[in-house]
Amino acid sequence: SFGFSGTNAHTILEQAPAEETEEAEEVTERPAPSAKRLDVVPWAVSGKSAAALRAQAQRLLAHLEADPGLGPVDVGLSLTTTRAQLDHRAVVRGHDRADLLAGLTALAEGGMAAGVAQGSVVGGRTAFVFPGQGSQWAGMAVGLMDASP
C-alpha cells in the first residue's frame, strides 16, 4: 500500500524439509566427457582493440588445443567470471567443443561464423534514479541530466 507510512512488505522464508538420500559413493576419478550434445554454451572473449580481440582468441585456441580435457562449460564459466570485459567483445556459442572451437578459430582468423557475435562497447554513462513511488514526477530528472553531464 502507498499510505502515509510508505510501503511495507513481509516475506516469510523457511527451509524446505530435508530429503533422505543414500550416501553417494566416493568418486576418485573425473568422469570422461560424454559425446552428448550440451545446451548452448557461451565463450566470452574481449580485447582493447579488434587486433587484441583476435590475438586473445588465438591464445585461447592454442590453450584449448594443448589441453583437450578442458570441458566447454568450465571454460565458459572461467571466461565469464575471471576475465576482464574490455571494449571489443565477442561471444562464441555452440553445443559442443567442436562447435565452439570452430567459432573460436573463425574469430582468431578475423572472420565470422555461425554462432559468433562480435561488437564493441558504445561510450556513454548510465544513471539510475530511484524516485520511490514517483509517478507524479514525470520527467523529474530531465533538468538534472541537462545541468550535470
Side-chain angles (χ1 to χ4, degrees):
S1 79
F2 293 103
F4 290 108
S5 63
T7 302
N8 291 318
H10 303 279
T11 303
I12 299 172
L13 301 175
E14 185 176 320
Q15 184 173 345
E19 293 182 22
E20 292 183 24
T21 59
E22 296 179 20
E23 292 184 27
E25 294 180 19
E26 185 176 326
V27 177
T28 56
E29 293 182 20
R30 185 175 179 174
S34 69
K36 176 184 166 194
R37 288 179 62 87
L38 304 169
D39 290 333
V40 174
V41 176
W43 284 355
V45 184
S46 69
K48 289 185 178 183
S49 66
L53 175 64
R54 285 191 305 277
Q56 180 62 23
Q58 290 168 351
R59 285 189 297 274
L60 178 59
L61 186 59
H63 178 70
L64 293 167
E65 288 173 345
D67 190 353
L70 294 173
V73 174
D74 294 333
V75 171
L77 177 66
S78 295
L79 289 171
T80 303
T81 60
T82 65
R83 305 291 301 177
Q85 296 178 1
L86 303 173
D87 289 345
H88 292 265
R89 301 175 185 179
V91 175
V92 178
R93 61 190 187 282
H95 293 283
D96 56 24
R97 184 179 173 91
D99 288 348
L100 292 160
L101 290 176
L104 193 59
T105 300
L107 179 63
E109 294 173 352
M112 291 300 294
V116 178
Q118 181 173 294
S120 60
V121 175
V122 177
R125 296 172 59 183
T126 303
F128 294 95
V129 177
F130 300 100
Q133 197 267 340
S135 66
Q136 69 273 23
W137 298 319
M140 67 180 242
V142 173
L144 178 62
M145 288 180 5
D146 291 338
S148 301

